[in-house]
Amino acid sequence: MLRGMATTTYYADDLTAAKDWYTEFLGLAPYYEVPGGYYEFRLGPGQDELGIINRAYAPAGARNAPGGGGIVYWHVDDLAATLTRLLELGATEYEPITEHGDGAGFVTASVLDPFGNVLGIMYNPHFVAMTAARAAAVSS
C-alpha cells in the first residue's frame, strides 16, 4: 500500500528563521508558501518535498524535542482505506484526515503504530505526477 515517500515535514516555532536556515542550507528558496503557516522545498532529481510548518499547526501530540515533530508521509492511492486498515491492525489515530492547501488534492493522516512510531500517509498529486513522468520517460 505504501508507494513511496511523498513529503517530509518539520515543525518550527519561528517559521521565518526555519525557512531562512533551510534556504541557506539547501541553496534554494521554497517553491511554495502559505504566509505564516508553511514553506515547501522540492529537492533532488525526484523533486522530493520538504515542508516546514508553523508549530501552531502541529498535531496535538507532537513534542518540541528531537524526534518529536517530523513526520515522513508515504503516498497511498486510497487514503481513507489505508487509514482504516492501519486502525484495524492496532494503530491509533495521531492526526485525522486533513486536507491541505487550496483544494489541490493534498490530504494527510497519521497514526501511531503499535510500537509508538508515527506513520504518516498522504495522497499527494505531485507524487502521482512525478511517478507518471518517470514511467513515461522509462517507456520512451
Side-chain angles (χ1 to χ4, degrees):
M1 292 182 103
L2 301 180
R3 294 193 45 212
M5 193 279 300
T7 300
T8 297
T9 61
Y10 298 129
Y11 295 98
D13 292 317
D14 186 337
L15 189 64
T16 301
K19 184 239 342 162
D20 292 345
W21 189 89
Y22 276 96
T23 297
E24 175 70 20
F25 172 66
L26 299 170
L28 60 104
Y31 85 96
Y32 179 76
E33 72 176 87
V34 174
Y38 183 72
Y39 291 100
E40 186 169 278
F41 301 85
R42 287 199 174 148
L43 311 171
Q47 295 293 286
D48 300 316
E49 296 176 357
L50 170 62
I52 310 296
I53 302 174
N54 184 324
R55 190 174 305 281
Y57 299 107
R63 302 181 330 262
N64 189 12
I71 299 173
V72 174
Y73 289 95
W74 293 90
H75 177 81
V76 297
D77 291 325
D78 187 334
L79 190 119
T82 303
L83 179 60
T84 297
R85 180 69 177 140
L86 287 165
L87 297 174
E88 289 170 353
L89 292 170
T92 56
E93 184 178 273
Y94 182 68
E95 173 193 24
I97 293 175
T98 306
E99 294 186 29
H100 300 277
D102 55 5
F106 296 90
V107 184
T108 63
S110 58
V111 298
L112 291 174
D113 71 15
F115 317 101
N117 300 298
V118 177
L119 173 61
I121 55 174
M122 177 178 204
Y123 182 84
N124 182 318
H126 172 68
F127 180 92
V128 172
M130 293 305 297
T131 301
R134 285 184 201 125
V138 168
S139 67
S140 50

